[in-house]
Amino acid sequence: MCTHRNPLHCILPPYMTDKLRYKTGNTDSKADYQFKDKRKLLATIAPAKKRNSMATTGVKPASNIYRELYDAGQMPLALGKLIWKEEQRIPADKDAKNVVNGAGNVWSFYKKLFNRSSLDNHGLPLIQTIRYRDNPQEPFYNAFWDGEQMFYGTGDPRFTNSFTTDLDVISHELTHGVIDFEAQLAYEFQSGALNESFADVFGSMVKQWVHKTPARKADWLIGSNVLKGKNALWSMKAPGTAFKNDTIFGDDPQPATMKDFIHSPNTEDGDYGGVHINSGIPNYAFYVASYEINGNAWEKAGPVWYAALTDKKVLHKKSSFEDAATATLKKATAQFGKNSLEAKGIEKGWREAGVI
């Protein structure tokens, strides 16, 4: 359930998957390291070389969108059976429709708003596998980007819906690919929390852009359809409130401000220094900034975050929350002016989050 490996780029963090595993009685700790070494290796490769290493299916990068969809059939398969590729009729299957359309929306978002050609900006094919399990004996409660492609579990209908059901989950995970090719934020401590936060920011914006929802009317929830009932995975508007007194997960542990920053060890059990937990802080900063600026988040705050993410002079592997605040304020000033509504809104976001 991603707790069996380095949980790099899994949507559900260890502090949630551990509780699901306990609830279902799957407490066996046998590990499936099929992708662990691959992810660790890809994390060390420079983006230009990484593009050349991505030969999952032998498909050459395209100038237009190119997608392939595989079905793992509830097995730990690296790909599975090819069930669809670009220009074919999309299968009627819900999981297939969700991820094909979801990946299409992500590709279109980055292309139309930022003239970015796929995740790597060089036409990388979008390869996805549905009905994946890392252990054929138990459900897979997760979705993840492994450094080259996407995998989605179906979960267990007693506790979750399929992990293909939320557009913001799909776009969050695919955005990890964009981050891999840009700032390459190290997946630990504050840089890792920024990695998760950038994925949340763009994951939420893709959903808002598709549904044409302005910042002040958006729900700012991530994964509101994955968990049963009214709960979501987390809230950018009010970190720490996505779930409360949940029979499985208890209370949402995310802080919204630095005064509640959680210090965790750089271990799997410690969420690699709290990457999923403390991401609530920069998430809240982006929400406040978007609310203050008003209008559509993808038109003002979004371009500032994208400019910071794609400029290695202002963000790097070990960047802190303060570095991200400095980077976004610098980009806001360059794009809109020092005393602009946009720059003031972004400054207020970071101040309310206690970062500056």
Tab-separated table of all heavy atoms in Angstrom, residues 258-294:
chain	number	residue	atom	x	y	z
A	258	MET	N	3.187	27.856	10.574
A	258	MET	CA	4.490	27.416	11.085
A	258	MET	C	4.485	27.203	12.593
A	258	MET	O	5.292	26.425	13.105
A	258	MET	CB	5.566	28.427	10.703
A	258	MET	CG	5.955	28.407	9.234
A	258	MET	SD	6.611	26.810	8.676
A	258	MET	CE	8.177	26.719	9.554
A	259	LYS	N	3.593	27.859	13.306
A	259	LYS	CA	3.592	27.663	14.771
A	259	LYS	C	3.206	26.235	15.142
A	259	LYS	O	3.529	25.771	16.239
A	259	LYS	CB	2.675	28.678	15.459
A	259	LYS	CG	1.203	28.492	15.228
A	259	LYS	CD	0.393	29.548	15.975
A	259	LYS	CE	-1.100	29.403	15.731
A	259	LYS	NZ	-1.649	28.107	16.200
A	260	ASP	N	2.534	25.527	14.212
A	260	ASP	CA	2.151	24.145	14.464
A	260	ASP	C	2.959	23.162	13.620
A	260	ASP	O	2.579	21.998	13.482
A	260	ASP	CB	0.657	23.962	14.157
A	260	ASP	CG	-0.224	24.784	15.084
A	260	ASP	OD1	0.063	24.808	16.296
A	260	ASP	OD2	-1.185	25.418	14.595
A	261	PHE	N	4.050	23.625	13.056
A	261	PHE	CA	4.916	22.770	12.224
A	261	PHE	C	5.275	21.492	12.986
A	261	PHE	O	5.591	21.539	14.177
A	261	PHE	CB	6.192	23.540	11.868
A	261	PHE	CG	7.123	22.786	10.950
A	261	PHE	CD1	7.024	22.905	9.580
A	261	PHE	CD2	8.116	21.964	11.476
A	261	PHE	CE1	7.883	22.242	8.727
A	261	PHE	CE2	8.988	21.277	10.629
A	261	PHE	CZ	8.870	21.411	9.256
A	262	ILE	N	5.182	20.364	12.309
A	262	ILE	CA	5.434	19.070	12.953
A	262	ILE	C	6.820	18.557	12.584
A	262	ILE	O	7.137	18.394	11.395
A	262	ILE	CB	4.356	18.047	12.558
A	262	ILE	CG1	2.997	18.508	13.089
A	262	ILE	CG2	4.695	16.652	13.078
A	262	ILE	CD1	1.823	17.677	12.633
A	263	HIS	N	7.644	18.329	13.575
A	263	HIS	CA	9.002	17.814	13.356
A	263	HIS	C	8.958	16.285	13.390
A	263	HIS	O	8.639	15.685	14.412
A	263	HIS	CB	9.957	18.357	14.417
A	263	HIS	CG	10.141	19.845	14.348
A	263	HIS	ND1	11.046	20.451	13.513
A	263	HIS	CD2	9.486	20.845	15.004
A	263	HIS	CE1	10.970	21.762	13.646
A	263	HIS	NE2	10.032	22.028	14.549
A	264	SER	N	9.269	15.675	12.258
A	264	SER	CA	9.240	14.214	12.143
A	264	SER	C	10.584	13.721	11.638
A	264	SER	O	11.294	14.439	10.913
A	264	SER	CB	8.143	13.777	11.157
A	264	SER	OG	6.873	14.207	11.593
A	265	PRO	N	10.941	12.473	11.960
A	265	PRO	CA	12.209	11.926	11.471
A	265	PRO	C	12.154	11.607	9.982
A	265	PRO	O	11.080	11.396	9.413
A	265	PRO	CB	12.382	10.647	12.301
A	265	PRO	CG	10.988	10.248	12.659
A	265	PRO	CD	10.223	11.528	12.834
A	266	ASN	N	13.320	11.578	9.370
A	266	ASN	CA	13.408	11.264	7.942
A	266	ASN	C	13.383	9.755	7.741
A	266	ASN	O	14.343	9.133	7.296
A	266	ASN	CB	14.685	11.863	7.349
A	266	ASN	CG	14.730	11.726	5.835
A	266	ASN	OD1	13.745	11.368	5.206
A	266	ASN	ND2	15.888	12.001	5.251
A	267	THR	N	12.229	9.170	8.094
A	267	THR	CA	12.011	7.739	7.942
A	267	THR	C	10.645	7.547	7.289
A	267	THR	O	9.837	8.472	7.219
A	267	THR	CB	12.002	7.017	9.304
A	267	THR	OG1	10.920	7.536	10.094
A	267	THR	CG2	13.315	7.230	10.047
A	268	GLU	N	10.378	6.307	6.872
A	268	GLU	CA	9.069	6.022	6.281
A	268	GLU	C	7.961	6.296	7.289
A	268	GLU	O	6.966	6.956	6.968
A	268	GLU	CB	9.016	4.578	5.807
A	268	GLU	CG	7.727	4.220	5.084
A	268	GLU	CD	7.768	2.814	4.515
A	268	GLU	OE1	8.861	2.317	4.218
A	268	GLU	OE2	6.684	2.225	4.373
A	269	ASP	N	8.124	5.827	8.522
A	269	ASP	CA	7.111	6.049	9.548
A	269	ASP	C	6.963	7.526	9.882
A	269	ASP	O	5.891	7.964	10.318
A	269	ASP	CB	7.449	5.259	10.818
A	269	ASP	CG	7.274	3.757	10.619
A	269	ASP	OD1	6.584	3.365	9.656
A	269	ASP	OD2	7.831	2.988	11.420
A	270	GLY	N	8.036	8.295	9.703
A	270	GLY	CA	7.993	9.727	9.979
A	270	GLY	C	7.590	10.538	8.764
A	270	GLY	O	7.755	11.757	8.756
A	271	ASP	N	7.074	9.864	7.732
A	271	ASP	CA	6.625	10.540	6.508
A	271	ASP	C	7.758	11.371	5.910
A	271	ASP	O	7.548	12.450	5.386
A	271	ASP	CB	5.402	11.419	6.798
A	271	ASP	CG	4.727	11.967	5.553
A	271	ASP	OD1	4.773	11.298	4.513
A	271	ASP	OD2	4.159	13.079	5.627
A	272	TYR	N	8.983	10.831	6.026
A	272	TYR	CA	10.173	11.472	5.453
A	272	TYR	C	10.290	12.939	5.869
A	272	TYR	O	10.502	13.828	5.050
A	272	TYR	CB	10.216	11.283	3.934
A	272	TYR	CG	10.494	9.833	3.603
A	272	TYR	CD1	9.455	8.904	3.600
A	272	TYR	CD2	11.779	9.377	3.396
A	272	TYR	CE1	9.698	7.560	3.380
A	272	TYR	CE2	12.045	8.041	3.168
A	272	TYR	CZ	10.998	7.131	3.162
A	272	TYR	OH	11.252	5.794	2.959
A	273	GLY	N	10.146	13.141	7.168
A	273	GLY	CA	10.249	14.488	7.699
A	273	GLY	C	8.951	15.262	7.599
A	273	GLY	O	8.955	16.489	7.696
A	274	GLY	N	7.849	14.560	7.415
A	274	GLY	CA	6.536	15.205	7.393
A	274	GLY	C	6.162	15.824	6.065
A	274	GLY	O	5.496	16.859	6.015
A	275	VAL	N	6.532	15.167	4.959
A	275	VAL	CA	6.288	15.779	3.645
A	275	VAL	C	4.803	15.939	3.323
A	275	VAL	O	4.394	16.945	2.727
A	275	VAL	CB	7.007	15.007	2.516
A	275	VAL	CG1	8.512	15.030	2.720
A	275	VAL	CG2	6.503	13.574	2.384
A	276	HIS	N	3.968	14.966	3.714
A	276	HIS	CA	2.535	15.074	3.464
A	276	HIS	C	1.827	15.914	4.530
A	276	HIS	O	0.769	16.479	4.257
A	276	HIS	CB	1.877	13.685	3.437
A	276	HIS	CG	2.213	12.858	2.240
A	276	HIS	ND1	3.262	11.971	2.227
A	276	HIS	CD2	1.639	12.789	1.006
A	276	HIS	CE1	3.322	11.380	1.043
A	276	HIS	NE2	2.351	11.861	0.291
A	277	ILE	N	2.390	15.962	5.716
A	277	ILE	CA	1.745	16.681	6.811
A	277	ILE	C	2.014	18.181	6.709
A	277	ILE	O	1.096	19.002	6.647
A	277	ILE	CB	2.221	16.128	8.172
A	277	ILE	CG1	1.772	14.672	8.335
A	277	ILE	CG2	1.667	16.981	9.313
A	277	ILE	CD1	2.273	14.000	9.595
A	278	ASN	N	3.297	18.564	6.659
A	278	ASN	CA	3.646	19.982	6.670
A	278	ASN	C	3.388	20.684	5.338
A	278	ASN	O	3.464	21.918	5.267
A	278	ASN	CB	5.111	20.152	7.080
A	278	ASN	CG	5.330	19.781	8.542
A	278	ASN	OD1	4.538	20.144	9.408
A	278	ASN	ND2	6.384	19.032	8.814
A	279	SER	N	3.026	19.933	4.320
A	279	SER	CA	2.644	20.562	3.051
A	279	SER	C	1.403	21.430	3.220
A	279	SER	O	1.123	22.299	2.380
A	279	SER	CB	2.394	19.502	1.973
A	279	SER	OG	1.404	18.574	2.393
A	280	GLY	N	0.662	21.225	4.311
A	280	GLY	CA	-0.496	22.061	4.596
A	280	GLY	C	-0.124	23.535	4.730
A	280	GLY	O	-0.947	24.420	4.437
A	281	ILE	N	1.094	23.826	5.143
A	281	ILE	CA	1.519	25.215	5.373
A	281	ILE	C	1.673	25.978	4.050
A	281	ILE	O	1.029	27.025	3.867
A	281	ILE	CB	2.803	25.253	6.231
A	281	ILE	CG1	2.498	24.671	7.622
A	281	ILE	CG2	3.356	26.675	6.338
A	281	ILE	CD1	3.723	24.404	8.474
A	282	PRO	N	2.499	25.517	3.094
A	282	PRO	CA	2.538	26.217	1.805
A	282	PRO	C	1.220	26.121	1.035
A	282	PRO	O	0.893	27.023	0.253
A	282	PRO	CB	3.694	25.543	1.056
A	282	PRO	CG	3.924	24.246	1.751
A	282	PRO	CD	3.525	24.464	3.169
A	283	ASN	N	0.451	25.048	1.255
A	283	ASN	CA	-0.878	24.960	0.639
A	283	ASN	C	-1.771	26.114	1.115
A	283	ASN	O	-2.475	26.751	0.320
A	283	ASN	CB	-1.564	23.637	0.997
A	283	ASN	CG	-1.099	22.482	0.143
A	283	ASN	OD1	-0.306	22.656	-0.769
A	283	ASN	ND2	-1.595	21.297	0.447
A	284	TYR	N	-1.728	26.354	2.413
A	284	TYR	CA	-2.546	27.430	2.980
A	284	TYR	C	-2.090	28.784	2.438
A	284	TYR	O	-2.918	29.656	2.134
A	284	TYR	CB	-2.467	27.392	4.499
A	284	TYR	CG	-3.315	28.436	5.185
A	284	TYR	CD1	-4.700	28.452	5.026
A	284	TYR	CD2	-2.735	29.417	5.985
A	284	TYR	CE1	-5.490	29.415	5.638
A	284	TYR	CE2	-3.505	30.383	6.614
A	284	TYR	CZ	-4.887	30.381	6.431
A	284	TYR	OH	-5.657	31.345	7.036
A	285	ALA	N	-0.783	28.958	2.289
A	285	ALA	CA	-0.255	30.207	1.732
A	285	ALA	C	-0.797	30.435	0.327
A	285	ALA	O	-1.195	31.558	-0.025
A	285	ALA	CB	1.270	30.180	1.711
A	286	PHE	N	-0.846	29.386	-0.477
A	286	PHE	CA	-1.359	29.536	-1.843
A	286	PHE	C	-2.853	29.834	-1.834
A	286	PHE	O	-3.327	30.668	-2.615
A	286	PHE	CB	-1.090	28.274	-2.666
A	286	PHE	CG	-1.546	28.414	-4.097
A	286	PHE	CD1	-0.763	29.086	-5.019
A	286	PHE	CD2	-2.767	27.900	-4.518
A	286	PHE	CE1	-1.181	29.253	-6.343
A	286	PHE	CE2	-3.206	28.057	-5.824
A	286	PHE	CZ	-2.404	28.735	-6.742
A	287	TYR	N	-3.591	29.172	-0.960
A	287	TYR	CA	-5.032	29.438	-0.869
A	287	TYR	C	-5.281	30.900	-0.500
A	287	TYR	O	-6.099	31.587	-1.143
A	287	TYR	CB	-5.703	28.525	0.161
A	287	TYR	CG	-7.029	29.086	0.609
A	287	TYR	CD1	-8.138	29.067	-0.238
A	287	TYR	CD2	-7.150	29.737	1.847
A	287	TYR	CE1	-9.348	29.639	0.142
A	287	TYR	CE2	-8.352	30.318	2.233
A	287	TYR	CZ	-9.434	30.271	1.368
A	287	TYR	OH	-10.623	30.865	1.727
A	288	VAL	N	-4.618	31.397	0.538
A	288	VAL	CA	-4.824	32.780	0.966
A	288	VAL	C	-4.466	33.745	-0.161
A	288	VAL	O	-5.202	34.708	-0.440
A	288	VAL	CB	-4.005	33.096	2.236
A	288	VAL	CG1	-4.057	34.596	2.553
A	288	VAL	CG2	-4.518	32.292	3.425
A	289	ALA	N	-3.333	33.482	-0.823
A	289	ALA	CA	-2.913	34.344	-1.933
A	289	ALA	C	-3.980	34.368	-3.026
A	289	ALA	O	-4.350	35.439	-3.535
A	289	ALA	CB	-1.587	33.854	-2.490
A	290	SER	N	-4.491	33.203	-3.391
A	290	SER	CA	-5.503	33.109	-4.446
A	290	SER	C	-6.787	33.811	-4.044
A	290	SER	O	-7.434	34.489	-4.862
A	290	SER	CB	-5.793	31.642	-4.777
A	290	SER	OG	-4.622	30.998	-5.228
A	291	TYR	N	-7.166	33.670	-2.782
A	291	TYR	CA	-8.383	34.312	-2.285
A	291	TYR	C	-8.229	35.835	-2.317
A	291	TYR	O	-9.148	36.561	-2.737
A	291	TYR	CB	-8.687	33.845	-0.862
A	291	TYR	CG	-9.989	34.379	-0.318
A	291	TYR	CD1	-11.174	33.676	-0.495
A	291	TYR	CD2	-10.041	35.598	0.370
A	291	TYR	CE1	-12.387	34.165	-0.016
A	291	TYR	CE2	-11.237	36.106	0.852
A	291	TYR	CZ	-12.404	35.377	0.647
A	291	TYR	OH	-13.596	35.875	1.122
A	292	GLU	N	-7.083	36.319	-1.872
A	292	GLU	CA	-6.844	37.758	-1.828
A	292	GLU	C	-6.805	38.364	-3.227
A	292	GLU	O	-7.345	39.451	-3.464
A	292	GLU	CB	-5.525	38.052	-1.100
A	292	GLU	CG	-5.570	37.781	0.380
A	292	GLU	CD	-6.576	38.658	1.116
A	292	GLU	OE1	-6.610	39.876	0.849
A	292	GLU	OE2	-7.337	38.111	1.946
A	293	ILE	N	-6.169	37.680	-4.150
A	293	ILE	CA	-6.075	38.179	-5.523
A	293	ILE	C	-7.440	38.145	-6.195
A	293	ILE	O	-7.777	38.994	-7.018
A	293	ILE	CB	-5.037	37.352	-6.322
A	293	ILE	CG1	-3.644	37.558	-5.720
A	293	ILE	CG2	-5.050	37.733	-7.790
A	293	ILE	CD1	-2.602	36.574	-6.240
A	294	ASN	N	-8.243	37.134	-5.825
A	294	ASN	CA	-9.600	36.957	-6.352
A	294	ASN	C	-9.531	36.499	-7.817
A	294	ASN	O	-8.479	36.328	-8.382
A	294	ASN	CB	-10.425	38.231	-6.195
A	294	ASN	CG	-11.925	37.960	-6.156
A	294	ASN	OD1	-12.377	36.826	-6.320
A	294	ASN	ND2	-12.701	38.997	-5.922
